Amino acid sequence: MGSIYQNIVEASVKEEKLLAVLIDPDKMKLKSVSNFISKVNQSIATHIFVGGSEVDQGITEVLVSEIKTYTNLPVVLFPGDVIQITDKADGILFLSLISGRNADYLIGKHVEAVSRLKQTKLQVIPTGYLLIENGKQTSVERVSKTKPLKRNHIQTIIDTAKAGELLGMQLIYLEAGSGATHPINREIILQVKETLKIPLIVGGGIKSKTELKNAYEAGADMVVIGTAFEEDEDFFNEIKK
Ligand code: 1GP
């Protein structure tokens, strides 16, 4: 496996859009993995993310091993907690929830993660993670006990994303939350993208080909989709080029 981050940067420079399929270990049954991953392999997906807000110990490792049996796509952890760290994956988004002010999700969990990460060869990608309000409370909000940024406070969103970049983060992830009523809107994506030199990930509530296209056109380098694939695997066909 080459450098996952370098590949994202190169794709961003070439304006080749990336798609990560998010698999929540809490929702994916082991016996469904082979069928689901064969659909991922035949789709336009470029990455597989694995993670969830509330996942029991050990489940992620077993799931990631099973996923790796069926695909050569990079499998990247998108962990809600340190117990989801496993060396069976290729990389990890080392997320700092910079929209919030809960020290645990800004640095505390990261300190806890170090002893686990030292035992792995995971490619660690420091990522500034911004939760933006979407119309309903999300599990990220509930678990992290932080408030999302208001979607009409665009300048705060831009400045928060830029602060993440200036702190040395390598990716910015704009998150509306899993199953969001409103995906991140065009204006936010456009303006955040304009201010950043690092690649931009957008996720949460994207359920149609049009919404996917809108996010790409506004400037998302990578889009993350989970719920739409969970609810209807035909969505893999719908978004084919
Ligand atoms: C959630 O951004 C991801 O963390 C994906 O959201 O499940 O709504 O696609 P969906």
Side-chain angles (χ1 to χ4, degrees):
M1 179 80 37
S3 164
I4 297 168
Y5 181 63
Q6 212 42 51
N7 289 341
I8 295 174
V9 171
E10 283 166 19
S12 163
V13 171
K14 290 191 255 174
E15 292 188 25
E16 286 169 10
K17 301 299 183 180
L18 303 172
L19 176 67
V21 176
L22 174 63
I23 300 179
D24 185 339
D26 213 25
K27 295 181 185 149
M28 174 64 69
K29 293 196 174 64
L30 269 187
K31 64 175 185 343
S32 312
V33 170
S34 71
N35 184 40
F36 187 82
I37 296 299
S38 88
K39 290 186 176 154
V40 174
N41 289 337
Q42 290 163 43
S43 76
I44 60 168
T46 55
H47 294 73
I48 296 172
F49 283 4
V50 180
S53 301
E54 293 156 300
V55 180
D56 291 338
Q57 179 100 32
I59 291 183
T60 306
E61 178 150 301
V62 176
L63 178 67
V64 171
S65 295
E66 184 74 1
I67 293 170
K68 289 289 292 177
T69 317
Y70 299 107
T71 189
N72 292 320
L73 292 175
V75 177
V76 179
L77 299 174
F78 174 58
D81 205 308
V82 291
I83 61 164
Q84 293 176 39
I85 294 174
T86 163
D87 65 354
K88 302 286 187 283
D90 302 301
I92 177 169
L93 296 188
F94 204 46
L95 300 164
S96 266
L97 184 57
I98 57 176
S99 54
R101 296 296 177 268
N102 181 343
D104 278 348
Y105 291 87
L106 287 163
I107 182 66
K109 300 271 181 191
H110 310 72
V111 175
E112 262 182 69
V114 169
S115 58
R116 290 172 188 258
L117 288 173
K118 277 202 294 205
Q119 296 163 25
T120 75
K121 291 197 173 76
L122 287 169
Q123 299 184 32
V124 178
I125 309 173
T127 302
Y129 189 50
L130 282 74
L131 183 63
I132 316 287
E133 67 168 2
N134 78 88
K136 64 175 194 193
Q137 200 200 39
T138 60
S139 42
V140 180
E141 184 179 344
R142 186 170 40 77
V143 172
S144 70
K145 300 188 182 67
T146 66
K147 286 279 159 231
L149 297 176
K150 299 217 174 312
R151 60 174 179 272
N152 56 352
H153 290 183
I154 294 194
Q155 196 57 48
T156 308
I157 298 172
I158 296 169
D159 291 350
T160 305
K162 191 66 185 175
E165 180 183 286
L166 294 173
L167 278 166
M169 288 158 189
Q170 295 184 333
L171 293 173
I172 292 295
Y173 189 141
L174 296 177
E175 171 73 275
S178 187
T181 315
H182 308 284
I184 307 286
N185 69 43
R186 177 184 164 78
E187 206 45 39
I188 295 174
I189 301 174
L190 262 176
Q191 296 207 39
V192 169
K193 178 64 185 171
E194 210 172 86
T195 192
L196 292 180
K197 296 196 175 81
I198 53 175
L200 178 63
I201 303 182
V202 172
I206 295 177
K207 292 195 202 71
S208 69
K209 192 177 176 178
T210 310
E211 286 168 339
L212 175 63
K213 194 162 153 262
N214 288 347
Y216 285 146
E217 283 178 3
D221 296 297
M222 175 187 276
V223 167
V224 182
I225 299 180
T227 307
F229 295 125
E230 272 164 27
E231 287 179 352
D232 180 10
E233 292 181 13
D234 282 345
F235 190 53
F236 284 114
N237 293 324
E238 220 174 293
I239 57 168
K240 273 190 182 144
K241 280 177 201 162

